Every structure is written in C-alpha cells, then in structure tokens.
Amino acid sequence: MEEQKRRSDCPITLSLDIFGDKWTLLILRDFIFFDNRHFNQLVNIERISTNILTDRLNRLLANGIIKKEVDLNNRSAYLYSLTKKGLDLVPIVMDIYRWGANYTEKNNAEKEFKKKIDSDYDKTVEEIKNRLITTHNIGNR
C-alpha cells in the first residue's frame, strides 16, 4: 500500500486519514456489532464495491487495526478480526452510534440497546469489548 503524504501532524487528522471515511466506519461497525468478518458479508451489507472494500480492509490491515487469517471453517476464505488497536476503537464507534440515535431523525436505533447505552454506557462498552476479545481472539498483540 502506497504511503500517503501527511496533511498535518494533528492526531485527529492522522486518525481520520485511517478510519475517517464512511466505508471504514461501517466496516468497523459490522465487526463490532454484527460479527460480519468475511469479505462477502461485508460487500453485501451496504453494497460496497469490492475495490473500495479491498482498499479499506488493506488500510485497516496496514495500520494494525485488523488482522486477516484463513478461516478454519472454510479454508478457501479469509476471516478478518480486530486487533487490540482495533478494539480501542469500540468507544468511538459506540459514541457515533449513540450520537446518531439521539440526534438523527427516523433512525433505526434498537430501543433496548439505546436504553442500555444510556443507562450504563461504560458497562455496555466493556461487555462488547469482552465479547470481541473472545470472538476475535484478541490477545496482547
């Protein structure tokens, strides 16, 4: 992957260069909330084109946010998983979800999940992270 020229050294700018487009956040959403981790699942979710999905997955891989391994249940497919670095994005994705659920009209936020986030945000984030640590086999890498 070709290294991009930095626009600035601002941490927000540098972070947005990695995951600040709409597709990357949706890919992360699917990893975090829906456990959609195969290429074909990700293509079908939002009808993302395969070349854009490949580019975004490669960017996440290059930045150590996800890892790619052969799926042990289907050796002809790959399984993408979050890394420890990717796991640290859970609160960011949760905050975007919560903001959208509160401030966008006619959204499809699940009422029970929204109530859970509003009543005990920290516990909900911790539960999600613990589930991901197990399902994505996140160690101290």
Side-chain angles (χ1 to χ4, degrees), residues 19 25 90-102 104 121:
F19 60 80
L25 286 172
V90 169
I92 294 168
V93 175
M94 289 283 293
D95 282 342
I96 293 170
Y97 178 93
R98 184 166 57 171
W99 188 92
N102 287 328
T104 60
Y121 176 81

Side-chain angles (χ1 to χ4, degrees), residues 107-123:
N107 65 68
N108 68 349
E110 293 181 19
K111 288 179 179 39
E112 288 303 311
F113 185 63
K114 168 95 171 49
K115 190 186 316 182
K116 187 175 178 179
I117 301 171
D118 290 340
S119 66
D120 200 342
Y121 176 81
D122 291 336
K123 181 180 177 192

Side-chain angles (χ1 to χ4, degrees), residues 3-53:
E3 187 160 336
Q4 283 185 275
K5 185 178 181 337
R6 287 180 164 203
R7 293 181 285 163
S8 77
D9 290 331
C10 169
I12 293 173
T13 300
L14 296 171
S15 298
L16 288 175
D17 286 344
I18 297 169
F19 60 80
D21 66 280
K22 71 176 184 177
W23 293 116
T24 304
L25 286 172
L26 293 175
I27 292 165
L28 292 170
R29 173 207 62 189
D30 282 1
F31 286 162
I32 293 167
F33 295 123
F34 305 113
D35 206 35
N36 293 324
R37 296 164 45 208
H38 289 94
F39 190 90
N40 289 337
Q41 287 176 315
L42 295 166
V43 166
N44 291 329
I45 298 301
E46 298 285 341
R47 293 184 295 245
I48 184 173
S49 67
T50 57
N51 62 322
I52 290 176
L53 178 57

Side-chain angles (χ1 to χ4, degrees), residues 37-111:
R37 296 164 45 208
H38 289 94
F39 190 90
N40 289 337
Q41 287 176 315
L42 295 166
V43 166
N44 291 329
I45 298 301
E46 298 285 341
R47 293 184 295 245
I48 184 173
S49 67
T50 57
N51 62 322
I52 290 176
L53 178 57
T54 298
D55 178 70
R56 298 320 186 267
L57 290 171
N58 285 337
R59 184 183 312 153
L60 291 169
L61 285 163
N63 284 282
I65 294 169
I66 63 172
K67 59 187 175 185
K68 175 182 173 180
E69 300 169 317
V70 173
D71 184 349
L72 298 177
N73 296 319
N74 178 1
R75 295 211 177 271
S76 65
Y78 290 101
L79 187 65
Y80 295 91
S81 302
L82 292 170
T83 62
K84 169 74 173 85
K85 196 173 176 180
L87 188 67
D88 286 344
L89 289 170
V90 169
I92 294 168
V93 175
M94 289 283 293
D95 282 342
I96 293 170
Y97 178 93
R98 184 166 57 171
W99 188 92
N102 287 328
Y103 297 110
T104 60
E105 292 183 27
K106 299 179 184 173
N107 65 68
N108 68 349
E110 293 181 19
K111 288 179 179 39

